């Protein structure tokens, strides 16, 4: 059993692909998929399957360099405002 809580993780599959967050907790579901709850640096919380989560750092410091957006998913309006600038 690994103690993953409060580690930096990147989502590698599903709807949240590319997002980076700190692992909050893990729900175990016997006979089904385990669910991980993460929180990104902007304070947004999201959940995904355990198989889609890849640990990239300990604590709140990633061991790899992150892409330009730091793994934060923007809303459609925020993306449009960034493009207009």
């Amino acid at each position: 059993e690994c103690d993953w809580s409060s580690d930096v993780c990147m989502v590698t599959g599903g709807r949240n692909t590319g997002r980076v967050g700190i692992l909050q907790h893990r729900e175990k579901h016997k006979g089904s998929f385990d669910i991980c709850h993460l929180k990104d640096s902007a304070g947004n919380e999201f959940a995904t399957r355990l198989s889609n989560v890849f640990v990239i750092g300990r604590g709140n410091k990633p061991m790899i360099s992150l892409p330009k957006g730091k793994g934060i998913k923007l809303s459609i309006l925020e993306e449009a405002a960034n493009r207009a600038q």
Side-chain angles (χ1 to χ4, degrees), residues 14-66:
R15 184 170 182 239
N16 294 313
T17 301
R19 292 182 79 173
V20 175
I22 296 175
L23 186 63
Q24 299 296 309
H25 66 276
R26 172 183 165 186
E27 293 177 10
K28 293 184 180 181
H29 297 278
K30 293 185 186 248
S32 186
F33 299 101
D34 291 351
I35 304 296
C36 291
H37 294 265
L38 296 100
K39 187 174 191 178
D40 65 13
S41 59
N44 302 317
E45 294 187 9
F46 56 99
T48 190
R49 292 179 179 176
L50 175 64
S51 60
N52 294 337
V53 175
F54 187 79
V55 177
I56 60 171
R58 296 283 174 204
N60 60 359
K61 184 176 181 197
M63 294 183 184
I64 63 170
S65 58
L66 295 176

Side-chain angles (χ1 to χ4, degrees), residues 2-18:
C2 295
D3 181 30
W4 285 0
S5 61
S6 75
D7 286 348
V8 180
C9 301
M10 179 174 270
V11 180
T12 59
R15 184 170 182 239
N16 294 313
T17 301

Side-chain angles (χ1 to χ4, degrees), residues 62-78:
M63 294 183 184
I64 63 170
S65 58
L66 295 176
K68 182 175 73 173
K70 304 288 186 212
I72 297 174
K73 186 175 184 179
L74 300 176
S75 70
I76 295 171
L77 294 174
E78 292 170 334

